[in-house]
Every structure is written in structure tokens, then in C-alpha cells.
Amino acid sequence: MSETRDLPLHRRGFLAGAAVTSLGVAQARAETQPVAQGAASSPAPAPAGNPLPGYVSWKDAEALIVHSNQTIETRRAAFGTGLITDESVLYVRNNVSPPPESIVADRDAWAVEIKGVTRPGTITVGALKRLGLVTVATVLQCSGNGRKYFQDTLEPGQKMSGTAWTVGAAGCVLWTGVPLRTVIEAMGGPVADAKFITGTGGEEIPQGLKPKDIMVERSVPLATLDTVILAWALNGKPISLAHGGPLRMIVPGYSGVNNIKYVKTVALTATETDAKIQAASYRIHKLGEKAAPNQPPVWEQPVRSWITAPLKDGRAGPMVIAGVAFGGVNAVAGVEVSADGGATWHKADFVGPDLGRFAWRLFALPIELPEGTHVLVSRARDTAGNIQPEDVPVNGGGYSHNGWRGPAVTLNLA
Amino acid sequence: MSETRDLPLHRRGFLAGAAVTSLGVAQARAETQPVAQGAASSPAPAPAGNPLPGYVSWKDAEALIVHSNQTIETRRAAFGTGLITDESVLYVRNNVSPPPESIVADRDAWAVEIKGVTRPGTITVGALKRLGLVTVATVLQCSGNGRKYFQDTLEPGQKMSGTAWTVGAAGCVLWTGVPLRTVIEAMGGPVADAKFITGTGGEEIPQGLKPKDIMVERSVPLATLDTVILAWALNGKPISLAHGGPLRMIVPGYSGVNNIKYVKTVALTATETDAKIQAASYRIHKLGEKAAPNQPPVWEQPVRSWITAPLKDGRAGPMVIAGVAFGGVNAVAGVEVSADGGATWHKADFVGPDLGRFAWRLFALPIELPEGTHVLVSRARDTAGNIQPEDVPVNGGGYSHNGWRGPAVTLNLA
């Protein structure tokens, strides 16, 4: 069903067909509905929706969809053709209300307890900054990003709760901090039976509730110690409260919930935590079943991509289809694009810097599209040989969607 | 005079000395003057100064020094340990007042004339976006960045005009646009005698003045056609008017003035332009002499580096010295750091992603410094073997300073 053709970016045939002669001006000026090519073009107007909650009032409201006070999605047009997602347009997802703003008043005084090491103790952000420095670009993505594409395919009687994210519960950002390994080694190294890194968030537990039911405490395999960082900066600036400042535990390649905000404890543990958010949530299980510790946890993100431009109907002719692709813990190895809903595929080129295996890459395909309706989709593969499937079997929590058909863009060209 | 020792980032000896046991908390909390480690720490308070002019009122005033309405410098502390410079803290330097804000109202309608090609014509930004897509990270730096270090060494009677920039007339940003070569090829390729790319800015020339005296029109060698782009986005968002939107000609590795804002004409020419800003300015000449076309133009940026953290006096002990380094058109190959004013040198490590040869790289050196006064300096070398000199012979315009002694940081530790 698929036919892959190479379409190099600068091929003469494509360029010869482009409207760049002296006629180009008049043609372009006559466009009343130019094809949007990313954020640099006219963005879609924000429909009336929920206002931004106070703790993220500084964000760009026009770039965001407020599903609720704790679930705020980036509009696809706001990704534009940017390699780094600005904090002002980055999605927000909290499981519990954030702590008070006062915790970022003196960031360097925030203390994190380190347990499960030979010499356990507590260390402040100020002291962490004296220990080491590392910067890593990661795709931060909600485990439920793309849940809408599961929900859209449910049969009558089936039900899946959770935010109907499309592609916008994700972003690619730069974290700066200290390698967790540096901290662990400075404290004498892991205890002998350590198998997991268990991080606990600094959210306040409302009185009368059982802490284990509410607390954001997650465990990830100890093998991630090679890449986990304790981060105090996002895109070069102190991490905002909304995104986990003063200190966030970043597990590169792992879905959002594993990246603990306002981290107050990091423990090397023999077992996974029994907190509800780990034991009975964020598991891959059948629709209708309950989550349980024997099911696979939502940890590593699968290979994924989506198109970010063009998104708006416009004129037929030459154009550039662009998007983002990433491979979770693996680098993304290649991307194909189809303009006919997956019948034929074209190899896209990566454009711009490679920020490392945990980041997304921009891809682009120059193409000439005639008048009519076109269904644009993209399909990425990672360095481990994983490739995006057309569809993904439904799971009860609606996690880890990486099918290529769901996020299709339908374009009507005149 | 120099002794280079390797100090790997994670060496055990360093970590063993770090204050990260259970005592660490009390120590860190007791700090009344913590050592600043980049933007995440308490930034220096902004002294009373000139307010931000209206066209950049959206910028972060606390991160900037307003020398004049057309010369606005990034505070060194605002670089922090960020790999990408946020537009809100990026320096501004204009030779002529910007055009009215109305030119960015309909960005896609902005038209650039292409001359010196087989089929000359005009093309809009909207049409350029259909031609191709590329993203490149570059160090954008004013030709006069570091002029203060020249001015500080002048002898009585000597005079050098121009803004007294220290290190803050620079930033590392991501540009998105189309390769100029793609546009040129679509228009039939260069005319036979083309030797330069000459770009003209869209500034308005006040009535009664000779255009050639005022216009921002610069020529760069045709060889740069391999890398020049026509850019519509900065850090993934439409370029602000202050930074040259709707369209800027980016010449990677070349100093700021060569990157033409609001570019309205790109011509492939047989000779350099005779506009004053090219012929009789931005030339390397002796102090007291006038600039003239037979002197070397200010084009490629030399290899350079400076320390960005720590910048504030604080406590003795382990810490991380960090900074940025770049090589102009060459990649930066290595950086050494000295904490004793250049008497002994230590090899620093690069940290974080490599954004390509035109970008800067972060470097870091974990070190333990005792009580007393320390003079921190950094010295970079590029892949072509160029190395920063201790000092640079004065030139009349105060351009292209890349000495390592000038931007030294003096640190008093208790």
C-alpha cells in the first residue's frame, strides 16, 4: 500500500515550478487566505474558552486550549516550525494543585532529600548548583497526549475518561541542572538493593485525605540514572512553578508524569512505590479493567510525529509540509510524509540542529499539491527500528497513543 | 606561563569534597550571599537607568542595560546557563530607527526584491515559506561587542567613540527561513559577474538626507550563499520588529550589521556597495584614521568566549565555572578556564547539545576555590586553530574584540 519516493529538498524540478518570478508578488498579494506555514503565519483565532488560571496567567492565551485548570494544551499552530517550545506556549498538566507560589521566592533554599544511598541527606538547590552542570533537550509529553484519537474510535457503550488531548500535550524544551548520578555518587552511591529511582513531588496533601492516594510519587528503573537530572532551569531560565520549579526531576524520554515537579525526595528503592499514581494509575490495561501493579507502567514514550504546517486551507501549488518527530529514549531515525492519507509516502528531510536523542527533530518535505482535498500524515521510525503504526489498540487509560492516522491534517486547496 | 590540567566533570576527588552530606542543608541555608550560578540564582538588581524604548517595551527590563534607544545590552547574568537566548533578553542594536510597527501587521505580504539573478523579481514572505524550510542556530553579535575593553586601555589623549559594550551585545538564537540559494536558483541562478551578496534594509530615510549616507546596505562575499538564509522566525516565533521582522537576511558567523533587518532587496553584485555603512564604516583601521574601502571589512566573527557564572561574590568551596564559547564561521573546538587570571589553565567540558558550527556552546568546569580573590577568565579555540589572544591591538572602530583578559570576572570568596 505504500510507495516511498525520495524528494530532496533542493531538487531543481520542484524549484522550477515555484511561483517566484516577477509574477510572484502579484499572486501572493492576491491571496486572501494564505496557507499557514507555522507560527510565523496568521495563527488560528482563539475561540471563546476557559480563561487561563492564575498560576499560568503569564502564558500566551491565544496559543493554548484550557481544558481545565490543570490541563492546558498547546494549539498545534503554536508549535510552528520551532525547535524549542517556548515556556509561554508549553502545555500544562498537574495531577494535584501546585504548591503556593512562595516556594519559588527563594529557589536556592529549596531542599531535596536523597535516600537509598550510603550517606543519605538533604541538599539545597544552591548546593546542587555547585556540584555539576548539564543541559539536555527532552520532549516533555503527557502520557495521555493523543487520547482523543482513542476516544474517537470507541464503540457505542464504551467509555474512556481523561482529557481529550490531540497533539498539544507535548513540547521540546531544554533543561539545565545536575546529573542525579553526580549527586548520588557524592553521597556514597546507591544502596545494594536499589532497583528504582522514586521521586516525590512537593504538592500539599489536603487534610483528611490519605497521602498515598494523592501524592505524586513515581518510580522509574534505576537504569535511568545514566540520564536523569535534577533541573533548576527550563530553556535557560528558572523553572516556573507551573512547570515544577524550583527543582524538577527530569527522566529523559519518559512521559510527563515521571518527571517529578517541585521534587522534595529522591529515593533509590528496592521496589516501586505503592502510591496510587504508580500502583493503580498510568498502567497499560484493557478498556473497562482497573489499573494494577502487574500491568506495564507508562514509562518510555513510543516513537511519534505530527505535522505542524500547513494547517489551514489555502492555494494549490508548491509548499513545504513540516512537522516534529521523536523517539522517546531512542533518537528518531527518519520520517515519511503522505499527502494522500497514507496511500503513498515520501521521505522527508530533517532540518535544523539535532538536539540529541531525547529531543524532537523538525522535518520538512517540499511538495506540489493540486487543487482538491489532501490528507496529510507523517510516520516516524526510531533508531531501534520501531515505526509508528497506523492505529494503536485501545487501552483503558488512553495512554501512549502513537498512531499516524489520528493526527492527520485535512487540507482543502483551491 | 600556562599549565593545562584536565579536570573531568565527574572526578571522584571533586565530588568527595562537595558539601552534600546531611550538613549541606544547614550550610546552604546559612548562606546570606549565595554564589550566583546563572540566571536561576538571584540576578543583580537593575540600577536606575534609561527606560526601555517603546519598540522593545515587551523586553525584560531587568535583564538589559539601555545605553541608548538604539543600543541595548544583555546583562551578563541574564545569559545564565542557557543555550538559547530568549528574545526578551536579546541585545538590540540599530543603525537607523526601525520602520513603523505596521510593517509586521501582515508579515506574509512583505516583499523582497531579488536582483543579480537570471530572472530578477520580487517575492513575498508568504511565497518564500512555500519554497523551503531551514533552521540554523547562530551567534548574533554586534561588531562592537567588547568595545569597552579597548576603551579601557586607551592612553591619555586617545579617543574611541561608540557604545561601551562589554559582553552583552550578543546572543545565540535559532532562525527559521529559506536558504537564499533556494531562492536564487528558483530565479535562474546568479548573474555571471556576481561576487557579493548585497542586502538592503527597509529603514525609512529621513527627507533631505542622502540615502547612501543613511541606508543599511551591506555586502558579503558570494561564498556565504552556502549558508545565508532569509528568515521569518526567531526562536520559533515570528521575528519582532526590533530584531528585523518580517524578514531578515541572516549571514551565519558574520557580525550583526551584516544580518540585514526588514530586508527589502537582495542583490548579487560585482562589487561591494558604496553605501557609507559599508564603504566608510565597519572597517578595521588604526585609531585616529578614517574608515575606507581598502581596509578589511567587519565580516566573520573571531573565536570568543566569556564566563557567565559565577558572577557574584560568595562562599569558598566547590563550584562550577560556566560560560559560552563560539568560533564565528568555525565551530568552537575547546575551551580552557583559569581562576588565577591566566597563570594556570584547566580544560573545561562542553555541556548540552551542539547546535552547529555557528552557535555557541556552553562550557563548564567544576572547581574548588579557597577563600580569597580569584580572577576567572576563559580562552577558546576554534576548529581552524585560532585561539583567543590575551589582548587585541586597538582598532579605530573598536570592532571584533576577542581578547580573553577583558571580560575577566573577579570573585571574592569568604
Side-chain angles (χ1 to χ4, degrees):
Chain A
M1 118 187 202
S2 73
E3 175 206 348
T4 299
R5 282 183 290 146
D6 280 3
L7 289 181
L9 189 60
H10 299 146
R11 78 188 197 285
R12 291 199 168 266
F14 167 72
L15 291 168
V20 291
T21 64
S22 48
L23 286 175
V25 196
Q27 285 177 354
R29 285 198 188 277
E31 286 184 20
T32 50
Q33 278 205 305
V35 175
Q37 293 278 12
S41 295
S42 27
N50 300 321
L52 287 172
Y55 72 105
V56 289
S57 60
W58 49 272
K59 290 211 175 223
D60 180 355
E62 289 195 10
L64 297 162
I65 303 161
V66 180
H67 294 287
S68 76
N69 277 3
Q70 311 286 17
T71 50
I72 302 168
E73 179 166 5
T74 307
R75 288 183 192 281
R76 196 194 295 223
F79 289 126
T81 47
L83 195 55
I84 300 291
T85 308
D86 198 83
E87 201 177 4
S88 65
V89 307
L90 183 62
Y91 86 101
V92 176
R93 200 302 184 226
N94 290 315
N95 281 280
V96 181
S97 295
E101 195 72 37
S102 58
I103 70 166
V104 291
D106 182 0
R107 294 163 173 279
D108 283 1
W110 180 264
V112 58
E113 187 177 3
I114 309 291
K115 303 200 291 194
V117 290
T118 305
R119 295 191 299 274
T122 304
I123 183 166
T124 62
V125 171
L128 288 173
K129 288 177 181 173
R130 289 167 163 266
L131 262 190
L133 182 71
V134 67
T135 292
V136 63
T138 77
V139 174
L140 185 74
Q141 179 183 229
C142 181
S143 314
N145 196 31
R147 183 180 288 119
K148 184 177 193 301
Y149 309 128
F150 286 128
Q151 292 168 333
D152 285 350
T153 61
L154 295 182
E155 293 175 19
Q158 289 185 318
K159 191 163 178 285
M160 180 188 293
S161 59
T163 303
W165 305 108
T166 60
V167 296
C172 184
V173 293
L174 283 161
W175 303 100
T176 300
V178 59
L180 178 59
R181 183 182 289 285
T182 302
V183 182
I184 297 296
E185 287 183 358
M187 294 176 128
V191 290
D193 63 347
K195 291 207 179 84
F196 297 92
I197 301 170
T198 298
T200 312
E203 291 89 349
E204 292 179 356
I205 309 295
Q207 271 200 319
L209 296 177
K210 286 172 63 181
K212 288 278 181 183
D213 286 354
I214 305 297
M215 66 199 307
V216 179
E217 183 171 277
R218 295 277 303 173
S219 300
V220 296
L222 186 63
T224 61
L225 191 54
D226 288 340
T227 57
V228 170
I229 75 169
L230 297 179
W232 52 78
L234 191 171
N235 291 347
K237 293 183 291 189
I239 306 175
S240 65
L241 181 70
H243 293 295
L247 191 70
R248 187 165 185 176
M249 187 176 90
I250 301 302
V251 188
Y254 278 51
S255 66
V257 71
N258 300 292
N259 297 263
I260 305 294
K261 295 176 176 178
Y262 355 95
V263 62
K264 69 173 185 186
T265 307
V266 175
L268 304 188
T269 55
T271 58
E272 290 183 36
T273 173
D274 59 354
K276 187 176 176 187
I277 199 170
Q278 175 91 9
S281 188
Y282 291 93
R283 298 273 172 182
I284 301 293
H285 57 84
K286 286 184 186 162
L287 195 65
E289 286 186 358
K290 284 198 167 180
N294 64 332
Q295 300 154 354
V298 176
W299 278 340
E300 297 183 358
Q301 304 176 94
V303 61
R304 194 161 187 198
S305 69
W306 54 80
I307 284 163
T308 56
L311 302 178
K312 290 170 73 177
D313 295 344
R315 287 165 51 92
M319 64 189 66
V320 180
I321 299 173
V324 295
F326 55 99
V329 298
N330 305 306
V332 62
V335 182
E336 293 170 300
V337 168
S338 170
D340 53 13
T344 56
W345 294 90
H346 314 283
K347 183 179 171 295
D349 287 318
F350 289 128
V351 293
D354 178 355
L355 301 180
R357 68 179 165 120
F358 304 115
W360 68 29
R361 293 213 62 174
L362 299 181
F363 64 83
L365 174 75
I367 196 168
E368 187 150 357
L369 293 179
E371 292 178 17
T373 298
H374 305 273
V375 177
L376 313 184
V377 288
S378 63
R379 183 172 68 179
R381 68 175 192 284
D382 67 20
T383 51
N386 301 300
I387 188 163
Q388 286 186 258
E390 180 168 353
D391 292 300
V392 184
V394 168
N395 66 81
Y399 296 124
S400 302
H401 190 286
N402 74 329
W404 56 254
R405 180 168 298 283
V409 172
T410 300
L411 209 61
N412 295 298
L413 300 181
Chain B
M1 115 188 199
S2 72
E3 173 204 349
T4 299
R5 282 183 292 146
D6 279 3
L7 290 182
L9 190 59
H10 300 145
R11 80 188 195 285
R12 290 198 168 267
F14 167 72
L15 291 169
V20 291
T21 65
S22 48
L23 287 174
V25 197
Q27 287 178 352
R29 285 198 188 279
E31 286 185 19
T32 50
Q33 275 207 307
V35 174
Q37 292 280 11
S41 295
S42 29
N50 301 319
L52 287 173
Y55 73 105
V56 289
S57 60
W58 49 272
K59 291 211 174 221
D60 180 354
E62 289 195 10
L64 297 163
I65 303 161
V66 181
H67 294 288
S68 76
N69 278 4
Q70 311 288 18
T71 50
I72 301 168
E73 180 165 4
T74 306
R75 287 183 193 280
R76 195 194 296 220
F79 288 126
T81 48
L83 196 55
I84 300 291
T85 308
D86 198 82
E87 199 177 5
S88 66
V89 305
L90 183 61
Y91 86 100
V92 176
R93 198 309 184 217
N94 291 314
N95 281 280
V96 181
S97 295
E101 196 72 38
S102 57
I103 70 166
V104 291
D106 182 359
R107 293 163 174 279
D108 282 1
W110 179 265
V112 56
E113 188 177 3
I114 310 291
K115 302 198 291 193
V117 290
T118 304
R119 295 190 298 275
T122 305
I123 183 165
T124 63
V125 171
L128 288 174
K129 289 176 180 173
R130 289 167 163 266
L131 261 191
L133 182 70
V134 68
T135 292
V136 63
T138 76
V139 174
L140 185 73
Q141 178 182 229
C142 180
S143 314
N145 196 31
R147 182 179 291 120
K148 184 176 193 303
Y149 308 128
F150 286 127
Q151 291 169 332
D152 285 349
T153 60
L154 295 183
E155 292 175 21
Q158 289 185 318
K159 191 160 178 286
M160 180 189 292
S161 59
T163 302
W165 305 107
T166 59
V167 296
C172 184
V173 294
L174 283 160
W175 302 101
T176 301
V178 60
L180 178 60
R181 182 182 290 284
T182 302
V183 183
I184 298 296
E185 286 181 359
M187 295 176 127
V191 291
D193 62 347
K195 290 205 179 85
F196 297 92
I197 302 171
T198 298
T200 312
E203 292 90 347
E204 292 178 357
I205 309 295
Q207 272 201 319
L209 297 176
K210 286 171 65 179
K212 289 277 181 183
D213 285 353
I214 306 296
M215 67 199 306
V216 178
E217 184 171 275
R218 293 278 303 172
S219 301
V220 296
L222 185 63
T224 61
L225 190 55
D226 288 339
T227 57
V228 170
I229 75 170
L230 297 179
W232 52 78
L234 190 171
N235 292 348
K237 294 184 290 190
I239 306 175
S240 65
L241 181 71
H243 293 295
L247 192 69
R248 187 165 184 176
M249 186 176 91
I250 301 301
V251 187
Y254 278 52
S255 65
V257 71
N258 300 291
N259 297 262
I260 304 294
K261 295 176 176 178
Y262 355 96
V263 62
K264 69 173 186 184
T265 306
V266 175
L268 304 188
T269 54
T271 57
E272 290 183 37
T273 173
D274 60 354
K276 187 177 176 186
I277 199 171
Q278 176 89 10
S281 188
Y282 291 93
R283 298 273 171 180
I284 302 293
H285 57 84
K286 287 184 187 162
L287 195 65
E289 285 185 358
K290 285 198 166 178
N294 64 329
Q295 301 154 354
V298 176
W299 279 339
E300 297 182 359
Q301 303 175 95
V303 60
R304 195 163 186 195
S305 69
W306 54 81
I307 284 163
T308 57
L311 301 178
K312 289 170 73 177
D313 295 344
R315 285 165 52 93
M319 64 189 68
V320 180
I321 299 174
V324 295
F326 55 99
V329 297
N330 305 305
V332 63
V335 182
E336 293 169 299
V337 167
S338 170
D340 54 12
T344 57
W345 294 88
H346 315 284
K347 183 178 172 294
D349 287 319
F350 289 129
V351 293
D354 179 354
L355 300 178
R357 67 179 166 120
F358 305 115
W360 67 30
R361 294 213 64 175
L362 299 181
F363 65 82
L365 174 76
I367 197 168
E368 189 152 355
L369 293 180
E371 293 178 15
T373 298
H374 305 273
V375 177
L376 314 183
V377 288
S378 63
R379 182 173 68 179
R381 68 175 192 284
D382 68 21
T383 52
N386 302 300
I387 187 163
Q388 285 185 259
E390 180 169 352
D391 292 299
V392 184
V394 169
N395 65 80
Y399 296 124
S400 303
H401 189 284
N402 75 328
W404 56 255
R405 180 167 298 282
V409 172
T410 300
L411 208 61
N412 295 297
L413 301 181

